[in-house]
Amino acid sequence: MTVLTEDDVLEQLNAQETLPAFMAAANAILLQAIKRFLPSLFVNNDEEIVEYAVKPLLAQSGPLDDLDVALRLIYALGKMDKWLYADITHFSQFHQFLSGQDNAPGFTDELTWDFICNVNAITDNTPMYDALKGMKFADFALYSESRFIGIIKTALALAVTAILKELTP
């Protein structure tokens, strides 16, 4: 499993043109980070345990290949803060919701704004959140929609990288 750098993550997320594509990429990145984090919870670098017990759990058909299941386990073991659990859950649920939509909302829709307002990694970053609110409620004669989409994508990408930093074993 390759380890993505922060630049790789930002580049992958920024390349996504639509909100569903962005959320799918974010979900895949978060799942990869969870799978990289999980082994540190179980073993003290015992190669035999990793090979015969942990790897099958994390395999594609393994029970911990599901982001929500793996996330609940980490949280239940007390290895994750509540805000982090909530943020990853929000990303996962929003991705699942968007996957089932024929006409998925865009970056500037109210549903997306509601999602953003519930991501702690964004709302706890006061300067970024204030900038988002300023653009959200400003007259678009001052700001173009493409600039607003850009700042939304940046805020979401920075939230993903903040989450990833917390998942470094």
Side-chain angles (χ1 to χ4, degrees):
M1 185 178 325
T2 60
V3 177
L4 295 175
T5 66
E6 186 172 335
D7 288 341
D8 294 335
V9 170
L10 294 173
E11 189 176 304
Q12 277 188 25
L13 293 176
N14 199 31
Q16 307 309 313
E17 295 294 324
T18 65
L19 183 61
F22 184 97
M23 294 307 293
N27 198 61
I29 290 167
L30 291 173
L31 177 59
Q32 182 181 2
I34 291 287
K35 288 175 80 170
R36 211 173 43 251
F37 181 72
L38 271 169
S40 69
L41 303 179
F42 297 118
V43 296
N44 295 324
N45 295 323
D46 184 321
E47 291 179 31
E48 192 171 297
I49 293 173
V50 170
E51 184 65 32
Y52 297 109
V54 177
K55 281 186 180 178
L57 290 172
L58 297 173
Q60 272 191 316
S61 59
L64 297 179
D65 187 45
D66 182 272
L67 179 66
D68 295 324
V69 172
L71 191 60
R72 285 186 181 107
L73 175 65
I74 295 168
Y75 186 63
L77 290 171
K79 302 297 183 181
M80 177 180 286
D81 290 332
K82 188 175 185 177
W83 74 267
L84 184 60
Y85 174 78
D87 278 2
I88 298 171
T89 300
H90 287 336
F91 269 93
S92 175
Q93 289 173 347
F94 196 52
H95 163 66
Q96 289 172 4
F97 170 77
L98 292 175
S99 297
Q101 299 298 305
D102 291 331
N103 294 324
F107 286 101
T108 60
D109 289 357
E110 282 303 313
L111 192 61
T112 306
W113 179 251
D114 291 342
F115 167 73
I116 287 169
C117 291
N118 286 301
V119 176
N120 296 296
I122 294 175
T123 59
D124 290 348
N125 183 338
T126 305
M128 182 172 55
Y129 188 58
D130 287 347
L132 279 168
K133 283 194 299 189
M135 285 189 85
K136 167 74 175 156
F137 299 109
D139 178 11
F140 270 105
L142 300 173
Y143 300 106
S144 71
E145 186 172 357
S146 64
R147 284 182 66 198
F148 186 48
I149 290 171
I151 196 168
I152 288 172
K153 285 175 74 171
T154 299
L156 291 171
L158 291 175
V160 170
T161 60
I163 290 168
L164 293 178
K165 286 178 184 173
E166 294 294 323
L167 293 174
T168 303

